[in-house]
Amino acid sequence: MTSERVRAVTRVLVANRGEIARRIVRTCHATGVETVAVFSDADRGAPHVDEATLAVAIGGRTAAESYLDPDRLLDAARRSGADAVHPGYGFLSEDPDFAQAVLDAGLVWIGPPPDAMRAMARKVEAKRVAAAAGVPLVPGAELDADVSDEALVTAAAGVGYPVLVKASAGGGGRGMRVVTAADELAAAVAAARREAQASFGDATVFLERYLSRGRHVEVQVFGDAHGEVVHLFERECSVQRRHQKVVEESPSPGTTPATLEAMCAAAVALARAIGYVGAGTVEFLVAGEGDAQEFFFLEMNTRLQVEHPVTELVTGLDLVAWQLAVARGEPLPLRQHEIGRRGHAIEARLYAEDTARGFLPSTGRLLSWDLDDDGGDWLRVDSGYEQGATVSEHYDALLAKVVAHGDDRTDVARSLAEYLRGTSVVGVTTNALMLAAVLDHPAFLDGATTTAFLDEHPEVLAPQAPADVLDLHLLAAAAALFGLGGDAAGEGWRTVAGVPETLRVGYRRGERDVVAVLGRAWTRDGATLLVAADADELDVDGARVDPHAAQTIAAMAGPVGPVRSHRAVRLDPLGPRADDGFAAHRLEVDGVRRTVDLRHDPADPAESVAVDAEGWVTTFSVLPLGAAGGHEAGASDPTTPVPGTVTHVAVEVGSTVAAGEPLVVLEAMKMEHTVRAGADGVVTAVHVRVGQSVDAHVVVATVEPS
């Protein structure tokens, strides 16, 4: 290779945000390359902005107004003097027109050639290319834009139920619907088209047979401009929600060596067939066991994958550094026989979402954030957030990728589960406990990881702390809220009992919002602390109730349930607050001491206490008098579950609707959410319109019950 073929890359514009932008910046700086960050109005204070060499404001708040606008990105490259563009993943990373525009501007595109991207960009055409390269395909059917409902039913019957309606452009689980019966088909196709259009600007969808208990296994490939292509082994990504991966690992625990060898060879053959250069991933569905195991081509992602850290940890390679080298025109750093892997790696995607409520996205300010790695080689945390940042409805709900590596798969899984269970993210609801429950589940530890894992093990979706742990958390919260520390713990002896005090707090218990009542009764012997929660949730056997606290008990026990009483409770700080707002405390209950971590700010108008103890974290929020928990609230007109943008209004004034029928479709955090009628009735008013941005809990329509 002559030196003229190598292009200098000295300043890279990262056309992305969040954790992947930070990840790219890290490697660029380590290799002496300057970086340019771009940021929307919503991301002005985001960590990736300050970590780059330069940063350029591109305006807008939504993705369409910022990171999906090619003109703004190219203008930022020109203004900052960048000589290369790295697209990361998502957004415009797989848009061949954007790649071509970068090249036409005289910049280096850190990605595959536009023609190779076009060959794989639309899944329908990609299947044809794969078939020509001898790669086996899942049975499917193409759909015309104006296909009739009758033709849809005929096509689906030919494919065989259940069928998967799948967007031709894009990925990430968007624009996909599973259909089990013909009468569901038309609505599923319409919904998939809306989501595909909103996410990728292309409403084309197709049908594919849905293999419900297969394994999703992908092969990392890499090519250079000199015709060399290698693979960097496989990753299994079978544990998914809404067809989007949540746990990834390498090696695959259930794919046979023979299948892996054939699959890696097929991935390399496909990459060679399209002249692939750079990092790419060929995704397969693996069905069956042992000698009868088969694999089928799903799609090729022409970019760096979200889960690339898994491959980096088992191979010891930096894939972004490889991307930079290949983009400059250099040959691949290693040949196939020089690439090996060691140990086992598992990645868990931490999302801001409520797993017990259909993975509903969660937004808000991160009051506490302790997801930094612990400095050991076994753990890696890639995140786009820091404490105090706001999780916005405008972008993906991914908070962090937490990746563990070690020699033994079971040890890695259990260590990662323990870490996730102990995280203290306060301010948004996360899937941390679900991830820990998955990693600890016997089926996962046995390697029984199919795409049906979450459907077959729904118990992992709403894990809850054991009753004794919750009891401890309630006592710690009560002690903090009533100030039972120092001298206040035993202000002592009184000739008469004082006026009892009570507080109502709300907290999450598995899939339910629960209200507890906390009480403090001053007696002749000192303070008695009382806790009343759901009768079914706390073990109240043997509770010792102070007879002088009868007034408080009577007020508490009626609406809530049995009361647990403690005569001697005190809470004393052991040190200053950590960066995440938590501070260690000594909690003494009836003479037994233990250490707990608390986050409590009495000056906060929305006073709350977060308790981190015994491997679980619970957040208690003080409720105003008369406030009800989620289980106490009554039905009302249908409202938006999260902030977002209205993409479809299915009814008008005068429409007759049945319970469960769709009223409005909302897009939030790149996912579609349907607001449905709560009862049979007639629509008497519609309060939103397509394109309108709405907050959570906004009434979308008034439905007069039949």
Side-chain angles (χ1 to χ4, degrees):
M1 182 181 66
T2 61
S3 60
E4 288 78 16
R5 297 185 64 183
V6 177
R7 297 191 60 180
V9 173
T10 61
R11 181 176 290 175
V12 174
L13 181 133
V14 183
N16 218 295
R17 66 178 298 277
E19 63 87 12
I20 189 57
R22 299 179 81 184
R23 163 72 189 92
I24 295 164
V25 166
R26 187 166 66 245
T27 287
C28 286
H29 290 182
T31 56
V33 177
E34 294 183 340
T35 55
V36 180
V38 292
F39 60 95
S40 67
D41 292 343
D43 274 343
R44 183 169 291 275
H48 78 274
V49 178
D50 293 331
E51 291 175 358
T53 310
L54 300 172
V56 179
I58 57 176
R61 295 189 68 80
T62 67
E65 296 168 341
S66 53
Y67 303 105
L68 285 170
D69 189 324
D71 293 336
R72 296 192 189 201
L73 297 172
L74 290 172
D75 179 64
R78 177 188 59 78
R79 291 161 58 195
S80 63
D83 53 24
V85 173
H86 194 308
Y89 59 74
F91 294 135
L92 296 175
S93 62
E94 293 184 278
D95 187 329
D97 294 335
F98 178 59
Q100 189 62 58
V102 169
L103 296 172
D104 291 344
L107 305 173
V108 173
W109 170 249
I110 305 177
D115 287 344
M117 296 174 72
R118 288 190 180 93
M120 296 288 106
R122 293 172 57 86
K123 296 180 179 64
V124 173
E125 285 79 3
K127 284 174 168 288
R128 296 172 186 158
V129 175
V135 181
L137 304 179
V138 177
E142 300 178 24
L143 299 176
D144 294 331
D146 58 352
V147 63
S148 67
D149 289 354
E150 292 79 11
L152 268 179
V153 172
T154 300
V159 172
Y161 286 98
V163 298
L164 182 64
V165 183
K166 196 171 184 180
S168 183
R174 289 177 283 278
M176 297 174 68
R177 298 289 187 280
V178 176
V179 180
T180 58
D183 59 358
E184 306 169 2
L185 191 60
V189 169
R193 282 178 169 157
R194 281 195 306 271
E195 196 168 76
Q197 180 65 44
S199 298
F200 318 119
D202 184 346
T204 305
V205 298
F206 63 98
L207 302 182
E208 191 173 78
R209 183 177 298 168
Y210 181 59
L211 303 177
S212 60
R213 299 201 77 259
R215 294 178 182 269
H216 188 132
V217 184
E218 60 190 27
V219 176
Q220 176 73 62
V221 295
F222 236 103
D224 63 21
H226 309 280
E228 187 66 33
V229 179
V230 298
H231 70 79
L232 280 71
F233 305 103
E234 87 289 350
R235 299 181 290 257
E236 178 165 331
C237 316
S238 299
V239 181
Q240 304 177 3
R241 58 95 166 108
R242 290 181 170 177
H243 312 292
Q244 195 168 38
K245 306 160 188 172
V246 291
V247 176
E248 301 102 345
E249 61 181 312
S250 183
S252 166
T255 310
T256 68
T259 298
L260 288 175
E261 182 178 358
M263 197 160 45
C264 289
V268 170
L270 178 59
R272 288 188 191 278
I274 60 173
Y276 199 80
V277 176
T281 302
V282 185
E283 303 196 353
F284 299 94
L285 191 66
V286 176
E289 305 290 338
D291 293 341
Q293 197 168 72
E294 301 176 281
F295 67 93
F296 305 98
F297 172 76
L298 290 176
E299 61 185 351
M300 183 176 187
N301 296 131
T302 54
R303 54 171 167 80
L304 193 67
Q305 288 283 90
V306 177
E307 58 273 18
H308 76 274
V310 170
T311 296
E312 292 185 323
L313 289 181
V314 294
T315 62
L317 303 174
D318 185 327
L319 300 195
V320 175
W322 275 43
Q323 286 185 297
L324 293 171
V326 167
R328 287 192 293 260
E330 299 173 11
L332 289 172
L334 298 173
R335 296 184 178 275
Q336 189 67 68
H337 70 276
E338 298 173 306
I339 302 169
R341 65 176 164 182
R342 178 186 63 83
H344 201 97
I346 302 176
E347 174 179 293
R349 296 192 194 184
L350 185 73
Y351 284 103
E353 64 184 14
D354 192 335
T355 60
R357 296 178 178 171
F359 304 98
L360 194 68
S362 177
T363 59
R365 184 169 174 266
L366 295 173
L367 302 175
S368 177
W369 178 260
D370 69 345
L371 259 83
D372 297 322
D373 61 48
D374 62 358
D377 293 337
W378 77 277
L379 183 71
R380 168 174 166 177
V381 178
D382 286 7
S383 174
Y385 290 93
E386 292 179 341
Q387 186 166 317
T390 296
V391 180
S392 165
E393 72 271 18
H394 297 303
Y395 309 117
D396 191 89
L398 181 66
L399 294 175
K401 303 181 309 193
V402 188
V403 201
H405 178 251
D407 294 329
D408 179 77
R409 179 178 183 269
T410 298
D411 291 344
V412 171
R414 286 178 168 158
S415 296
L416 185 54
E418 181 180 3
Y419 175 85
L420 288 165
R421 196 167 278 124
T423 58
S424 57
V425 177
V426 178
V428 297
T429 301
T430 79
N431 66 337
L433 294 181
M434 184 208 81
L435 293 171
V438 169
L439 295 167
D440 265 345
H441 198 283
F444 182 89
L445 296 176
D446 286 344
T449 50
T450 72
T451 55
F453 187 91
L454 294 183
D455 292 331
E456 294 176 351
H457 304 291
E459 66 274 13
V460 305
L461 299 180
Q464 53 188 6
D468 59 335
V469 174
L470 177 60
D471 194 10
L472 174 68
H473 287 198
L474 279 161
L475 282 170
L481 289 168
F482 285 123
L484 295 183
D487 293 338
E491 285 181 347
W493 195 96
R494 299 186 176 206
T495 57
V496 294
V499 177
E501 303 169 74
T502 59
L503 284 174
R504 294 166 63 83
V505 296
Y507 64 98
R508 190 65 181 273
R509 177 73 166 140
E511 62 185 7
R512 298 182 304 123
D513 288 326
V514 180
V515 172
V517 180
L518 311 177
R520 177 174 61 174
W522 290 106
T523 72
R524 286 191 290 267
D525 300 322
T528 294
L529 189 65
L530 305 110
V531 174
D534 276 355
D536 294 337
E537 299 300 332
L538 287 180
D539 177 12
V540 295
D541 292 342
R544 294 184 294 105
V545 178
D546 190 308
H548 297 288
Q551 181 180 350
T552 304
I553 293 170
M556 293 169 61
V560 186
V563 176
R564 178 182 286 270
S565 168
H566 297 275
R567 292 280 302 279
V569 177
R570 64 180 293 143
L571 182 74
D572 297 302
L574 294 177
R577 289 187 181 186
D579 291 340
D580 62 3
F582 278 79
H585 286 70
R586 179 191 297 118
L587 176 67
E588 183 173 330
V589 180
D590 297 333
V592 178
R593 290 183 177 183
R594 54 168 52 82
T595 300
V596 300
D597 290 327
L598 296 180
R599 187 187 188 283
H600 177 224
D601 183 3
D604 185 351
E607 189 174 6
S608 65
V609 178
V611 183
D612 184 350
E614 305 295 319
W616 296 82
V617 179
T618 309
T619 300
F620 303 91
S621 300
V622 176
L623 302 175
L625 291 175
H631 63 295
E632 298 176 276
S636 61
D637 286 327
T639 62
T640 53
V642 290
T645 302
V646 177
T647 59
H648 180 64
V649 177
V651 295
E652 57 187 18
V653 174
S655 297
T656 300
V657 296
E661 187 172 335
L663 301 176
V664 167
V665 178
L666 187 74
E667 182 189 350
M669 288 182 157
K670 296 188 177 181
M671 301 299 290
E672 190 175 83
H673 308 274
T674 302
V675 182
R676 301 179 184 275
D680 297 351
V682 176
V683 177
T684 59
V686 177
H687 305 293
V688 296
R689 65 184 186 280
V690 173
Q692 180 179 347
S693 294
V694 293
D695 290 328
H697 313 304
V698 170
V699 176
V700 300
T702 300
V703 179
E704 186 71 26
S706 299

